[in-house]
Amino acid sequence: MAKIKFPFTLGVASGEPAPDGVIIWTRLAPDPLNGGGMPASAFDVRWEVAEDDRFAKLTASGTTRAQPSGAHSVHVKVTGLRPASVYFYRFRADGHTSRVGRTKTAPAPASTAPLKIAVASCQRYEHGHFTAYKHLVADDPDVVLHLGDYIYEYGKPAVAEPGRYVRPLKDSTAACTTLNAYRERYALYRLDPDLQAAHAAAPWITIPDDHEVVNNYGGRTGDPKRRKAAYQANAEHLPYRVKPAGDAMQYYRRRTFGAVLDLLVADARQYRVAGDILGPAQTTWLLDRLKTSTARWTVLAQALFFAPRNPPSADAWDAYPQSRRKVLDAAPENFVVLSGDVHNAWAARLDRGVEFVVTSISSAPPAVRDDALERNPHLAFFDGRRGYLVAHASMEEFTVDYRAVPYVDRPGAPVSTAASFRAVGNKLERIDL
Ligand SMILES: [Fe+2]
């Protein structure tokens, strides 16, 4: 007889695609919004990987232990796979079988095949439906890049803003400060069918921003116990294997996609010190890789608006002009910055390269001045709707489609392309639709 109820309520996920493997993820949580509902003991989880979704012939399989100390999450590093190939995976525990996930390995190092990257950020659950993910899945990306604000830590406000508070939190919900509270917040988000389907459709690469911990946090400010709990829950619920390093969690890393694209994922929150948004060790790491990258496109993926803005922002690279200068001076010619955080879509010309700013999946946008583009001639585009980006990188060109949904206060929004741009040096060419 089964000892536990169906434990795969939060679905499956994969991430960190390499030419020979991926991380596959699940979590045993029969009662996800009440502490998980698992007994306080380790539990065996079987995993299976196959080239077909009926698992007629297994490519790889094994058994791992889900530990109570990790909220019974499992992160399996699958190796021995072929490059640029689709695989299916699933998990079994105590007689139960998970849904089937689909993933794709990265191209071989010498590959010149084009790559399609979907980019998302800022998905405040209370602010709307995650319909954009349904369209993102239909766009069939090779990899999904999430630039932070995967969860929001806020409690239920005493007075909710009308029109913006469409999926209320439970009445008793306080702001997350404890490990259990952060875990339950991830569980709430991962019960969303569109988000769960997006994780099951493609491998993800993610980097936290501020709301995975607390609004506008940076550096070593605030309660270290809260920070530790927040990052532990984040690491438990996403398909990567990050480890505490000193008093931080190291998220900054490089992922390479053949000869086409070098993805440098940077953490603009944890290592801030006066005048330095990345901190000395991460800066050395980043500048070294910018200077030595040989890929056709070098992409810096991080949460915060990189280009200057008038008026400047206090919680973006505008507050760290020396850090920005160092990055631009080290950047190669074909340089692209991907960023999020601001809940609106923008495009910017940089001194070197260009920046594409993704809008929010659901988080409500701030008011934007009518003359924002006139005051900032290097900003080429603005769109105030929710959505995501699809970037197409090849040896010939780097183009971006700004995908927009007209509403998130109810399900079922259609999607359209607000604009498309081609990066040409540090210019942006608008592509006629
Ligand atoms: Fe946000």
CSV table of all heavy atoms in Angstrom, one decimal, residues 353-399:
chain,number,residue,atom,x,y,z
A,353,GLY,N,27.4,47.4,-28.0
A,353,GLY,CA,26.3,46.5,-28.0
A,353,GLY,C,24.9,47.1,-27.7
A,353,GLY,O,24.7,48.3,-27.8
A,354,VAL,N,24.0,46.2,-27.4
A,354,VAL,CA,22.6,46.7,-27.2
A,354,VAL,C,22.0,46.0,-26.0
A,354,VAL,O,22.5,45.0,-25.5
A,354,VAL,CB,21.7,46.4,-28.4
A,354,VAL,CG1,22.2,47.1,-29.6
A,354,VAL,CG2,21.7,44.9,-28.7
A,355,GLU,N,20.9,46.5,-25.5
A,355,GLU,CA,20.2,45.9,-24.4
A,355,GLU,C,18.7,45.7,-24.7
A,355,GLU,O,18.1,46.5,-25.3
A,355,GLU,CB,20.3,46.8,-23.1
A,355,GLU,CG,19.5,46.3,-21.9
A,355,GLU,CD,19.6,47.1,-20.7
A,355,GLU,OE1,20.1,48.3,-20.8
A,355,GLU,OE2,19.2,46.7,-19.6
A,356,PHE,N,18.2,44.5,-24.4
A,356,PHE,CA,16.8,44.2,-24.5
A,356,PHE,C,16.3,43.9,-23.1
A,356,PHE,O,16.8,43.1,-22.4
A,356,PHE,CB,16.6,42.9,-25.4
A,356,PHE,CG,17.1,43.1,-26.8
A,356,PHE,CD1,18.3,42.5,-27.2
A,356,PHE,CD2,16.4,43.9,-27.7
A,356,PHE,CE1,18.7,42.6,-28.5
A,356,PHE,CE2,16.9,44.0,-29.0
A,356,PHE,CZ,18.0,43.4,-29.4
A,357,VAL,N,15.3,44.7,-22.7
A,357,VAL,CA,14.7,44.6,-21.3
A,357,VAL,C,13.3,43.9,-21.5
A,357,VAL,O,12.5,44.4,-22.2
A,357,VAL,CB,14.5,46.0,-20.7
A,357,VAL,CG1,14.0,45.9,-19.3
A,357,VAL,CG2,15.8,46.8,-20.7
A,358,VAL,N,13.2,42.8,-20.8
A,358,VAL,CA,12.0,42.1,-20.9
A,358,VAL,C,10.9,42.7,-19.9
A,358,VAL,O,11.3,43.1,-18.8
A,358,VAL,CB,12.2,40.6,-20.6
A,358,VAL,CG1,12.6,40.3,-19.2
A,358,VAL,CG2,10.9,39.8,-20.9
A,359,THR,N,9.7,42.7,-20.3
A,359,THR,CA,8.6,43.1,-19.4
A,359,THR,C,8.3,42.0,-18.4
A,359,THR,O,8.9,41.0,-18.3
A,359,THR,CB,7.4,43.5,-20.2
A,359,THR,OG1,6.4,44.1,-19.3
A,359,THR,CG2,6.7,42.3,-20.9
A,360,SER,N,7.3,42.2,-17.6
A,360,SER,CA,6.9,41.2,-16.6
A,360,SER,C,5.9,40.2,-17.2
A,360,SER,O,5.1,40.5,-18.1
A,360,SER,CB,6.2,41.9,-15.4
A,360,SER,OG,5.1,42.7,-15.8
A,361,ILE,N,5.9,39.0,-16.6
A,361,ILE,CA,4.9,38.0,-16.9
A,361,ILE,C,3.5,38.5,-16.4
A,361,ILE,O,2.5,38.4,-17.1
A,361,ILE,CB,5.3,36.7,-16.3
A,361,ILE,CG1,6.5,36.0,-17.0
A,361,ILE,CG2,4.1,35.7,-16.2
A,361,ILE,CD1,6.2,35.5,-18.4
A,362,SER,N,3.5,39.0,-15.1
A,362,SER,CA,2.2,39.4,-14.5
A,362,SER,C,2.3,40.6,-13.7
A,362,SER,O,1.3,41.3,-13.4
A,362,SER,CB,1.6,38.3,-13.7
A,362,SER,OG,2.5,37.9,-12.7
A,363,SER,N,3.5,41.0,-13.1
A,363,SER,CA,3.7,42.1,-12.2
A,363,SER,C,3.2,43.4,-12.7
A,363,SER,O,3.6,43.7,-13.9
A,363,SER,CB,5.1,42.2,-11.7
A,363,SER,OG,5.6,40.9,-11.2
A,364,ALA,N,2.5,44.2,-12.0
A,364,ALA,CA,1.9,45.4,-12.4
A,364,ALA,C,3.1,46.4,-12.7
A,364,ALA,O,4.1,46.5,-12.0
A,364,ALA,CB,1.0,46.0,-11.4
A,365,PRO,N,3.0,47.2,-13.8
A,365,PRO,CA,4.0,48.1,-14.1
A,365,PRO,C,3.9,49.4,-13.4
A,365,PRO,O,2.9,49.8,-12.9
A,365,PRO,CB,3.8,48.4,-15.6
A,365,PRO,CG,2.3,48.2,-15.8
A,365,PRO,CD,1.9,47.2,-14.8
A,366,PRO,N,5.1,50.1,-13.2
A,366,PRO,CA,5.0,51.5,-12.7
A,366,PRO,C,4.6,52.5,-13.7
A,366,PRO,O,4.6,52.2,-14.9
A,366,PRO,CB,6.5,51.7,-12.3
A,366,PRO,CG,7.3,51.0,-13.3
A,366,PRO,CD,6.4,49.7,-13.6
A,367,ALA,N,4.2,53.7,-13.3
A,367,ALA,CA,3.9,54.8,-14.2
A,367,ALA,C,5.2,55.1,-15.0
A,367,ALA,O,6.3,55.2,-14.4
A,367,ALA,CB,3.4,56.0,-13.5
A,368,VAL,N,5.1,55.4,-16.3
A,368,VAL,CA,6.3,55.8,-17.1
A,368,VAL,C,6.0,57.2,-17.7
A,368,VAL,O,4.9,57.4,-18.2
A,368,VAL,CB,6.5,54.8,-18.2
A,368,VAL,CG1,7.6,55.3,-19.2
A,368,VAL,CG2,7.0,53.4,-17.5
A,369,ARG,N,7.0,58.1,-17.6
A,369,ARG,CA,6.8,59.4,-18.2
A,369,ARG,C,6.5,59.3,-19.6
A,369,ARG,O,7.1,58.6,-20.4
A,369,ARG,CB,8.0,60.2,-18.0
A,369,ARG,CG,8.4,60.5,-16.5
A,369,ARG,CD,9.8,61.2,-16.5
A,369,ARG,NE,9.8,62.5,-17.2
A,369,ARG,CZ,10.0,63.6,-16.6
A,369,ARG,NH1,10.2,63.7,-15.3
A,369,ARG,NH2,9.9,64.8,-17.2
A,370,ASP,N,5.6,60.2,-20.1
A,370,ASP,CA,5.2,60.2,-21.5
A,370,ASP,C,6.4,60.5,-22.4
A,370,ASP,O,6.5,60.1,-23.5
A,370,ASP,CB,4.1,61.3,-21.8
A,370,ASP,CG,2.8,60.8,-21.3
A,370,ASP,OD1,2.6,59.6,-21.1
A,370,ASP,OD2,1.9,61.7,-21.1
A,371,ASP,N,7.4,61.3,-21.8
A,371,ASP,CA,8.5,61.8,-22.6
A,371,ASP,C,9.8,60.9,-22.4
A,371,ASP,O,10.9,61.3,-22.7
A,371,ASP,CB,8.8,63.3,-22.3
A,371,ASP,CG,9.2,63.5,-20.9
A,371,ASP,OD1,9.0,62.6,-20.1
A,371,ASP,OD2,9.6,64.6,-20.6
A,372,ALA,N,9.6,59.7,-21.9
A,372,ALA,CA,10.7,58.9,-21.5
A,372,ALA,C,11.6,58.6,-22.7
A,372,ALA,O,12.9,58.7,-22.6
A,372,ALA,CB,10.3,57.5,-20.9
A,373,LEU,N,11.1,58.4,-23.9
A,373,LEU,CA,11.9,58.1,-25.1
A,373,LEU,C,12.6,59.4,-25.6
A,373,LEU,O,13.8,59.3,-25.9
A,373,LEU,CB,11.1,57.4,-26.2
A,373,LEU,CG,10.6,56.0,-25.9
A,373,LEU,CD1,9.8,55.5,-27.1
A,373,LEU,CD2,11.8,55.1,-25.6
A,374,GLU,N,11.9,60.5,-25.5
A,374,GLU,CA,12.5,61.8,-26.0
A,374,GLU,C,13.7,62.2,-25.1
A,374,GLU,O,14.7,62.7,-25.5
A,374,GLU,CB,11.5,62.9,-26.0
A,374,GLU,CG,10.5,62.9,-27.1
A,374,GLU,CD,9.1,62.6,-26.7
A,374,GLU,OE1,8.4,63.5,-26.3
A,374,GLU,OE2,8.7,61.4,-26.7
A,375,ARG,N,13.5,62.0,-23.8
A,375,ARG,CA,14.5,62.3,-22.8
A,375,ARG,C,15.7,61.4,-22.9
A,375,ARG,O,16.8,61.7,-22.3
A,375,ARG,CB,14.0,62.3,-21.4
A,375,ARG,CG,13.0,63.3,-21.1
A,375,ARG,CD,12.3,63.0,-19.8
A,375,ARG,NE,13.2,63.0,-18.6
A,375,ARG,CZ,13.3,64.0,-17.8
A,375,ARG,NH1,12.6,65.1,-18.0
A,375,ARG,NH2,14.2,64.0,-16.8
A,376,ASN,N,15.5,60.2,-23.5
A,376,ASN,CA,16.6,59.2,-23.6
A,376,ASN,C,16.8,58.7,-25.0
A,376,ASN,O,16.2,57.7,-25.4
A,376,ASN,CB,16.2,58.0,-22.7
A,376,ASN,CG,16.2,58.4,-21.2
A,376,ASN,OD1,17.2,58.3,-20.5
A,376,ASN,ND2,15.0,58.7,-20.7
A,377,PRO,N,17.5,59.5,-25.8
A,377,PRO,CA,17.5,59.1,-27.2
A,377,PRO,C,18.2,57.8,-27.5
A,377,PRO,O,18.0,57.2,-28.6
A,377,PRO,CB,18.4,60.3,-27.8
A,377,PRO,CG,18.8,61.2,-26.7
A,377,PRO,CD,18.1,60.8,-25.5
A,378,HIS,N,18.9,57.2,-26.6
A,378,HIS,CA,19.5,55.9,-26.8
A,378,HIS,C,18.5,54.8,-26.5
A,378,HIS,O,18.8,53.6,-26.8
A,378,HIS,CB,20.7,55.7,-25.9
A,378,HIS,CG,20.4,55.9,-24.4
A,378,HIS,ND1,20.0,57.1,-23.9
A,378,HIS,CD2,20.3,54.9,-23.4
A,378,HIS,CE1,19.7,56.9,-22.6
A,378,HIS,NE2,19.9,55.6,-22.3
A,379,LEU,N,17.3,55.1,-26.0
A,379,LEU,CA,16.3,54.1,-25.8
A,379,LEU,C,15.4,54.1,-27.1
A,379,LEU,O,14.9,55.1,-27.5
A,379,LEU,CB,15.4,54.4,-24.6
A,379,LEU,CG,16.2,54.5,-23.2
A,379,LEU,CD1,15.2,54.7,-22.1
A,379,LEU,CD2,17.0,53.2,-23.0
A,380,ALA,N,15.3,52.9,-27.7
A,380,ALA,CA,14.7,52.8,-29.0
A,380,ALA,C,13.3,52.3,-29.0
A,380,ALA,O,12.6,52.4,-30.0
A,380,ALA,CB,15.5,51.9,-29.9
A,381,PHE,N,12.8,51.8,-27.8
A,381,PHE,CA,11.5,51.2,-27.8
A,381,PHE,C,11.0,51.1,-26.4
A,381,PHE,O,11.7,50.9,-25.4
A,381,PHE,CB,11.7,49.7,-28.3
A,381,PHE,CG,10.4,48.9,-28.3
A,381,PHE,CD1,9.4,49.2,-29.1
A,381,PHE,CD2,10.4,47.8,-27.5
A,381,PHE,CE1,8.2,48.5,-29.0
A,381,PHE,CE2,9.2,47.0,-27.4
A,381,PHE,CZ,8.1,47.4,-28.2
A,382,PHE,N,9.7,51.3,-26.3
A,382,PHE,CA,9.0,51.0,-25.0
A,382,PHE,C,7.6,50.3,-25.3
A,382,PHE,O,7.0,50.7,-26.3
A,382,PHE,CB,8.7,52.4,-24.3
A,382,PHE,CG,7.6,52.2,-23.2
A,382,PHE,CD1,8.0,51.7,-22.0
A,382,PHE,CD2,6.3,52.6,-23.4
A,382,PHE,CE1,7.1,51.6,-21.0
A,382,PHE,CE2,5.4,52.4,-22.4
A,382,PHE,CZ,5.8,51.9,-21.2
A,383,ASP,N,7.3,49.4,-24.5
A,383,ASP,CA,5.9,48.8,-24.6
A,383,ASP,C,5.5,48.5,-23.1
A,383,ASP,O,6.2,48.0,-22.4
A,383,ASP,CB,5.9,47.5,-25.4
A,383,ASP,CG,4.4,47.1,-25.7
A,383,ASP,OD1,3.8,47.5,-26.6
A,383,ASP,OD2,3.9,46.3,-24.8
A,384,GLY,N,4.2,48.9,-22.8
A,384,GLY,CA,3.8,48.8,-21.4
A,384,GLY,C,2.9,47.6,-21.1
A,384,GLY,O,2.2,47.7,-20.1
A,385,ARG,N,2.9,46.6,-22.0
A,385,ARG,CA,2.1,45.4,-21.7
A,385,ARG,C,2.9,44.3,-21.0
A,385,ARG,O,4.2,44.4,-21.0
A,385,ARG,CB,1.5,44.9,-23.0
A,385,ARG,CG,0.4,45.8,-23.5
A,385,ARG,CD,0.0,45.3,-24.9
A,385,ARG,NE,1.0,45.7,-25.9
A,385,ARG,CZ,0.9,45.4,-27.2
A,385,ARG,NH1,-0.2,44.7,-27.7
A,385,ARG,NH2,1.8,45.7,-28.1
A,386,ARG,N,2.3,43.3,-20.5
A,386,ARG,CA,2.9,42.1,-19.9
A,386,ARG,C,3.4,41.2,-21.1
A,386,ARG,O,2.8,41.3,-22.2
A,386,ARG,CB,2.0,41.4,-18.9
A,386,ARG,CG,1.2,42.2,-18.0
A,386,ARG,CD,2.0,42.7,-16.8
A,386,ARG,NE,3.1,43.6,-17.2
A,386,ARG,CZ,2.9,44.9,-17.7
A,386,ARG,NH1,1.7,45.4,-17.8
A,386,ARG,NH2,3.9,45.7,-18.0
A,387,GLY,N,4.3,40.3,-20.8
A,387,GLY,CA,4.7,39.4,-21.8
A,387,GLY,C,6.1,38.8,-21.6
A,387,GLY,O,6.5,38.6,-20.4
A,388,TYR,N,6.8,38.6,-22.7
A,388,TYR,CA,8.2,38.0,-22.6
A,388,TYR,C,8.9,38.3,-23.9
A,388,TYR,O,8.3,38.9,-24.8
A,388,TYR,CB,8.0,36.4,-22.4
A,388,TYR,CG,7.2,35.7,-23.5
A,388,TYR,CD1,7.9,35.1,-24.5
A,388,TYR,CD2,5.8,35.8,-23.4
A,388,TYR,CE1,7.1,34.4,-25.5
A,388,TYR,CE2,5.1,35.1,-24.5
A,388,TYR,CZ,5.7,34.5,-25.5
A,388,TYR,OH,5.0,33.9,-26.4
A,389,LEU,N,10.1,37.8,-24.0
A,389,LEU,CA,10.9,38.0,-25.2
A,389,LEU,C,11.2,36.7,-25.9
A,389,LEU,O,11.4,35.7,-25.1
A,389,LEU,CB,12.3,38.6,-24.9
A,389,LEU,CG,12.5,40.0,-24.4
A,389,LEU,CD1,13.9,40.3,-24.1
A,389,LEU,CD2,12.0,41.0,-25.4
A,390,VAL,N,11.4,36.7,-27.2
A,390,VAL,CA,12.0,35.5,-27.8
A,390,VAL,C,13.2,36.0,-28.6
A,390,VAL,O,13.0,36.9,-29.5
A,390,VAL,CB,11.0,34.8,-28.8
A,390,VAL,CG1,11.7,33.6,-29.5
A,390,VAL,CG2,9.8,34.3,-28.0
A,391,ALA,N,14.4,35.5,-28.3
A,391,ALA,CA,15.6,35.9,-28.9
A,391,ALA,C,16.0,34.8,-29.9
A,391,ALA,O,16.0,33.6,-29.5
A,391,ALA,CB,16.7,36.2,-27.9
A,392,HIS,N,16.4,35.2,-31.1
A,392,HIS,CA,16.9,34.2,-32.1
A,392,HIS,C,18.4,34.6,-32.3
A,392,HIS,O,18.7,35.7,-32.8
A,392,HIS,CB,16.1,34.3,-33.4
A,392,HIS,CG,14.6,34.2,-33.2
A,392,HIS,ND1,13.9,33.1,-33.4
A,392,HIS,CD2,13.7,35.2,-32.9
A,392,HIS,CE1,12.6,33.3,-33.2
A,392,HIS,NE2,12.5,34.6,-32.8
A,393,ALA,N,19.3,33.7,-32.0
A,393,ALA,CA,20.7,33.9,-32.2
A,393,ALA,C,21.2,32.9,-33.2
A,393,ALA,O,21.0,31.7,-33.1
A,393,ALA,CB,21.5,33.8,-30.9
A,394,SER,N,21.9,33.5,-34.3
A,394,SER,CA,22.6,32.6,-35.2
A,394,SER,C,23.9,33.2,-35.6
A,394,SER,O,24.3,34.3,-35.1
A,394,SER,CB,21.7,32.6,-36.5
A,394,SER,OG,21.8,33.8,-37.2
A,395,MET,N,24.7,32.6,-36.4
A,395,MET,CA,26.0,33.1,-36.8
A,395,MET,C,25.8,34.4,-37.7
A,395,MET,O,26.7,35.2,-37.8
A,395,MET,CB,26.8,32.1,-37.6
A,395,MET,CG,27.2,30.8,-36.9
A,395,MET,SD,28.1,31.1,-35.3
A,395,MET,CE,29.7,31.4,-35.9
A,396,GLU,N,24.6,34.6,-38.2
A,396,GLU,CA,24.3,35.7,-39.1
A,396,GLU,C,23.8,36.9,-38.3
A,396,GLU,O,24.2,38.1,-38.5
A,396,GLU,CB,23.3,35.4,-40.2
A,396,GLU,CG,23.9,34.5,-41.3
A,396,GLU,CD,24.1,33.1,-40.8
A,396,GLU,OE1,23.1,32.5,-40.2
A,396,GLU,OE2,25.1,32.4,-41.1
A,397,GLU,N,22.9,36.6,-37.3
A,397,GLU,CA,22.2,37.8,-36.7
A,397,GLU,C,21.6,37.4,-35.3
A,397,GLU,O,21.5,36.2,-35.0
A,397,GLU,CB,21.1,38.3,-37.6
A,397,GLU,CG,20.0,37.3,-37.9
A,397,GLU,CD,18.9,37.9,-38.8
A,397,GLU,OE1,19.1,39.0,-39.3
A,397,GLU,OE2,17.8,37.3,-38.9
A,398,PHE,N,21.3,38.5,-34.6
A,398,PHE,CA,20.6,38.3,-33.3
A,398,PHE,C,19.4,39.2,-33.3
A,398,PHE,O,19.4,40.4,-33.5
A,398,PHE,CB,21.6,38.8,-32.1
A,398,PHE,CG,21.1,38.5,-30.8
A,398,PHE,CD1,21.7,37.5,-30.0
A,398,PHE,CD2,20.0,39.2,-30.2
A,398,PHE,CE1,21.3,37.2,-28.7
A,398,PHE,CE2,19.6,38.9,-28.9
A,398,PHE,CZ,20.2,37.9,-28.2
A,399,THR,N,18.2,38.6,-33.3
A,399,THR,CA,17.0,39.3,-33.3
A,399,THR,C,16.1,39.0,-32.1
A,399,THR,O,16.3,37.9,-31.5
A,399,THR,CB,16.2,39.0,-34.6
A,399,THR,OG1,15.7,37.6,-34.5
A,399,THR,CG2,17.0,39.2,-35.9
